[in-house]
Amino acid sequence: MNVKDVIKYLKRMLFSITFMLLVALGMATGNPWLQYGSIFLIIIGQIVYQIFKSIRSAPMLNANMIEANKAKKGKLLYTATKNDVLKIKSESGGAGSMGMSSKTLFLMFIPLIIFFATSYALGIVAPTIPRWQSYLIGVLFSLPASTIITVKAGITPSGGPIASPNTYYISEKGIIFEHYGNSFILSYPIKKLNVNKEKNFIEVEGQSVKSVIIPNRLKLFNKDINALQRILVRFTDQQPS
């Protein structure tokens, strides 16, 4: 993650930071409406923002599906059927289409642990400190930790959602895959290619897409990783890792 990605990540945290500051202000002023009401305001704001993003990305979503259906009717270099992929997933312990690794999930809980640990330590070291100050200090400690952990985990704003399709096709124009009952396409060039031969999958990262629905990262399970790698490497300048 570069500096630009960190800035994007902090912008995405704007709602969370605003919420934390409003709660701290409510605690400092003894205003329960501000302290607890801000929770509902932030939740509503997040929901409205996500709906707005979904509506705005609808034309892009339709264009992607049209492109995928056109590419599927053209020349295909490789086809992975549902039965074969599900068998490999079962043998390799593959996750669902939008799964999150246990390591990443654990890393996401660390900032919360730091927050409570800081608040607890302050309660022992400085028991007379106002509760809102203890809360704010905990927030100030946990936010940098969250950013650092995000960098270490490789979770970038441009990374986008990840899918592990049960059916996919490799064409000259991109990787067509089934996702939630629809066909999508990850267009070339491939940005990053990570090969995991032990678990029989290749993780493919495409170019960034301005949509919360269209995945731009795919985890492709296959019984012949070497054959799949030879095809995909043609469409990326990066050496597979």
Side-chain angles (χ1 to χ4, degrees):
M1 181 185 282
N2 53 36
V3 175
K4 189 178 293 185
D5 282 331
V6 172
I7 293 173
K8 287 182 180 179
Y9 172 73
L10 292 175
K11 286 182 178 179
R12 290 180 64 185
M13 290 182 64
L14 182 61
F15 278 115
S16 300
I17 294 172
T18 303
F19 158 68
M20 293 171 182
L21 293 177
L22 286 174
V23 171
L25 182 60
M27 294 170 68
T29 59
N31 187 335
W33 290 101
L34 183 61
Q35 181 179 346
Y36 299 108
S38 60
I39 299 175
F40 297 101
L41 289 177
I42 295 300
I43 292 175
I44 291 172
Q46 286 276 29
I47 293 173
V48 171
Y49 177 66
Q50 292 300 326
I51 292 174
F52 171 74
K53 287 179 66 177
S54 298
I55 293 174
R56 191 174 63 174
S57 64
M60 184 185 301
L61 184 69
N62 292 330
N64 186 282
M65 289 190 291
I66 292 172
E67 185 182 353
N69 288 320
K70 285 183 179 179
K72 192 189 295 185
K73 294 176 182 177
K75 181 181 178 181
L76 298 177
L77 304 176
Y78 188 86
T79 298
T81 63
K82 185 175 182 179
N83 289 337
D84 289 339
V85 174
L86 287 177
K87 182 179 179 181
I88 298 300
K89 280 187 177 183
S90 177
E91 294 174 352
S92 307
S97 62
M98 294 296 288
M100 180 181 288
S101 70
S102 57
K103 179 181 178 181
T104 301
L105 193 61
F106 174 74
L107 289 174
M108 298 304 288
F109 274 103
I110 291 181
L112 190 62
I113 295 171
I114 292 174
F115 169 75
F116 283 113
T118 303
S119 300
Y120 178 77
L122 284 172
I124 297 175
V125 177
T128 58
I129 189 173
R131 193 163 63 95
W132 72 270
Q133 291 184 15
S134 174
Y135 167 83
L136 199 57
I137 292 172
V139 168
L140 292 175
F141 269 92
S142 61
L143 281 178
S146 178
T147 305
I148 293 171
I149 290 167
T150 300
V151 173
K152 294 295 184 182
I155 308 168
T156 69
S158 59
I162 185 170
S164 178
N166 294 329
T167 305
Y168 59 89
Y169 313 87
I170 311 297
S171 74
E172 293 283 354
K173 294 186 176 181
I175 304 172
I176 305 110
F177 59 98
E178 303 297 323
H179 187 60
Y180 291 136
N182 294 306
S183 293
F184 294 95
I185 186 168
L186 186 149
S187 300
Y188 303 135
I190 293 172
K191 187 177 179 181
K192 187 182 295 183
L193 200 65
N194 294 323
V195 181
N196 190 326
K197 294 185 178 181
E198 292 183 0
K199 294 188 177 181
N200 297 307
F201 72 80
I202 297 179
E203 187 172 316
V204 181
E205 182 177 340
Q207 303 302 312
S208 300
V209 292
K210 297 179 180 179
S211 172
V212 296
I213 301 174
I214 306 173
N216 76 321
R217 292 187 297 158
L218 301 176
K219 185 180 286 188
L220 305 178
F221 282 85
N222 199 280
K223 60 182 177 181
D224 192 346
I225 289 297
N226 292 327
L228 183 61
Q229 180 181 340
R230 283 194 296 270
I231 297 173
L232 294 176
V233 77
R234 293 167 47 190
F235 304 102
T236 177
D237 295 328
Q238 185 207 50
Q239 292 298 317
S241 58

